[in-house]
Amino acid sequence: MGVDKKILVIPGDGIGQEVTAWGQKVLMTIAENYKHNFSFDEGIMGHVAIEATGNPLPDETLEKARKSDAILFGAIGHAKYDNDPTLKVRPEQGLLKIRKELGLYANLRPIKLFDELLEASSIKPEILSGADILFFRELTGDVYFGEKKRTEDRNTASDLMIYHRYEVERIARKAYEAARSRRKKLCSVDKANVLEASRLWREVVQEVAKEYPDVETEHMFIDNAAMQLIKDPKRFDVVLTGNLFGDILTDEASQIAGSMGMLASASVGDSTGFYEPIHGSAHDIAGKGIANPLASILSAALMLDISFGLKTESLRVIKAVETTLKQGYRTMDIANKHTENHLVMGTEAMGAKVLENLS
Ligand code: NAD
């Protein structure tokens, strides 16, 4: 029996427009193959929305977002704003607002290197091979949202690191649930030797851990975690951490997967899930037709699994990506300069190969 789902597509700016089309085509193919009924609507956000309406997140897009079961997003950003930090209306305001309005408090970022891309990473293949990590980064608390101050003489500044018990509890539960369906290991990362907010974090995780006796819990300080991630990424299964530490650790971990063009992420709360590649709008390659569409396609796979519970379909998409890479097809960012048997192609051709392998 197929499922009925409403999906809002927000391509955004730059390569967001080029790659999201392929994430959507993959979802359409899955719906057809597995007899699901996915209906699509489209919304604008970011620079394109500012140009059209003056608002980076028009009310109409937000309304559509609230009514959808899941959102497939591309990226926002334009060189104009990067070069002029004084501009008051900015594309990223749209992204921050939609995350807040939809209550997306947990950012999930799976880090898994396809064997075919072992050589594309800057880390030694023998260290990387077999690494498979799922990050849970808290998204609505911490220094990003705590009180910000600057003294009158402008010489002293502070950002308050703040966490409430309920914020730690709800994301800890999500992370433990995920660990149960994986290798049953959870590493909580904090700085409890120094920070009071981290001591609360650790205390709450220790309490939630009692509800999941089947999951092995480890607590690690952020400095050690940053080192272990590069030294021995295989030791991690689920990593649970706060907003600031998660921001830094997940970007570090993106190197494990070889390229930004390969990594997908999900932001979830208690309702609509939001799925996007981790990369930005990449002005340097926008409009050239060479962006890697695989991160958007893998974002669609995450949506199928997390928001719709369609695990088989999600694995089918991941398998199609794997097969495409096995066949030697590469976009420029993941082409290995040391081997000649790779067929380097653009966004359209790469997306079409994945669709072919899906059918
Ligand atoms: P970026 O992720 O856009 O690009 C970084 C580098 O990776 C570039 O050299 C780019 O060509 C390459 N790259 C990224 N995605 C790729 C893909 N799919 N295929 C091939 N190569 C790819 O980051 P940036 O250059 O720092 O930022 C560009 C713009 O994107 C800025 O305006 C920034 O604010 C915005 N941004 C948006 C998001 C988002 O929407 N979530 C995230 C990060 C940056």
Side-chain angles (χ1 to χ4, degrees):
M1 195 43 191
V3 299
D4 286 329
K5 298 289 175 192
K6 278 197 206 116
I7 300 168
L8 178 66
V9 180
I10 307 180
D13 304 319
I15 65 164
Q17 310 222 347
E18 298 164 47
V19 298
T20 313
W22 290 100
Q24 181 176 356
K25 280 182 193 163
V26 159
L27 289 169
M28 288 161 119
T29 309
I30 285 290
E32 202 178 307
N33 291 356
Y34 290 84
K35 308 271 173 283
H36 297 305
N37 180 19
F38 294 167
S39 60
F40 294 90
D41 200 349
E42 191 165 318
I44 54 170
M45 187 164 97
H47 170 65
V48 286
I50 297 173
E51 293 286 290
T53 69
N55 182 350
L57 177 63
D59 291 346
E60 195 190 343
T61 304
L62 190 56
E63 239 356 85
K64 286 180 181 179
R66 289 213 173 92
K67 286 187 191 137
S68 64
D69 295 303
I71 299 163
L72 183 68
F73 168 62
I76 44 95
H78 189 274
K80 167 175 158 185
Y81 309 90
D82 297 354
N83 300 332
D84 185 358
T86 63
L87 285 173
K88 292 269 178 298
V89 181
R90 311 183 57 82
E92 60 271 21
Q93 291 162 348
L95 190 53
L96 291 176
K97 185 167 176 202
I98 201 166
R99 283 177 179 158
K100 193 168 174 350
E101 293 288 329
L102 297 178
L104 305 170
Y105 59 78
N107 182 243
L108 281 69
R109 200 181 277 194
I111 307 277
K112 188 175 188 303
L113 180 67
F114 288 93
D115 282 347
E116 292 69 29
L117 298 182
L118 273 176
E119 302 291 337
S121 172
S122 42
I123 304 171
K124 285 188 198 137
E126 61 270 28
I127 291 179
L128 285 182
S129 182
D132 179 1
I133 310 172
L134 177 57
F135 277 92
F136 276 76
R137 167 189 168 196
E138 204 286 331
L139 215 53
T140 56
D142 212 334
V143 286
Y144 297 97
F145 296 94
E147 190 185 3
K148 295 175 186 301
K149 279 190 186 158
R150 183 79 83 92
T151 53
E152 253 170 50
D153 65 8
R154 312 294 293 160
N155 290 331
T156 308
S158 65
D159 300 90
L160 180 68
M161 179 179 270
I162 180 164
Y163 264 117
H164 303 286
R165 180 173 291 275
Y166 78 92
E167 290 174 320
V168 188
E169 251 172 34
R170 64 185 181 182
I171 190 169
R173 287 216 171 80
K174 277 208 187 295
Y176 272 103
E177 289 296 332
R180 267 195 171 153
S181 64
R182 291 173 50 98
R183 302 195 304 282
K184 297 190 170 52
K185 277 176 64 177
L186 182 143
C187 177
S188 172
V189 175
D190 61 34
K191 188 73 182 166
N193 49 344
V194 182
L195 303 171
E196 198 54 38
S198 276
R199 282 193 269 275
L200 170 70
W201 182 278
R202 189 173 288 215
E203 199 182 297
V204 177
V205 174
Q206 280 166 343
E207 279 164 25
V208 175
K210 290 183 195 146
E211 298 165 29
Y212 300 87
D214 51 325
V215 177
E216 182 192 322
T217 304
E218 178 183 25
H219 298 272
M220 196 179 278
F221 297 134
I222 175 64
D223 36 355
N224 185 22
M227 187 266 286
Q228 297 287 345
L229 199 55
I230 295 299
K231 186 171 166 235
D232 184 16
K234 283 193 274 282
R235 78 195 297 290
F236 296 104
D237 177 15
V238 170
V239 176
L240 165 65
T241 190
N243 206 347
L244 175 64
F245 300 150
D247 193 357
I248 300 164
L249 274 192
T250 52
D251 262 27
E252 181 190 348
S254 74
Q255 274 313 295
I256 297 172
S259 163
M260 307 268 280
M262 293 298 301
L263 283 179
S265 86
S267 299
V268 298
D270 295 320
S271 58
T272 311
F274 190 86
Y275 298 83
E276 61 177 312
I278 72 154
H279 62 70
S281 53
H283 329 303
D284 53 342
I285 58 167
K288 295 187 177 159
I290 56 172
N292 185 346
L294 296 181
S296 178
I297 290 172
L298 292 169
S299 301
L302 266 186
M303 180 192 290
L304 291 167
D305 181 7
I306 298 173
S307 275
F308 304 161
L310 301 172
K311 190 119 200 143
T312 308
E313 288 83 336
S314 174
L315 288 173
R316 183 77 196 82
V317 175
I318 296 170
K319 189 85 200 150
V321 169
E322 196 173 52
T323 307
T324 307
L325 294 172
K326 270 205 182 96
Q327 290 165 338
Y329 299 115
R330 300 283 188 276
T331 41
M332 231 174 49
D333 57 311
I334 49 171
N336 181 1
K337 293 162 197 78
H338 308 296
T339 48
E340 276 150 23
N341 57 346
H342 287 164
L343 296 157
V344 181
M345 47 181 40
T347 314
E348 298 278 308
M350 188 67 163
K353 284 291 164 202
V354 176
L355 281 197
E356 226 175 272
N357 285 321
L358 252 191
S359 303

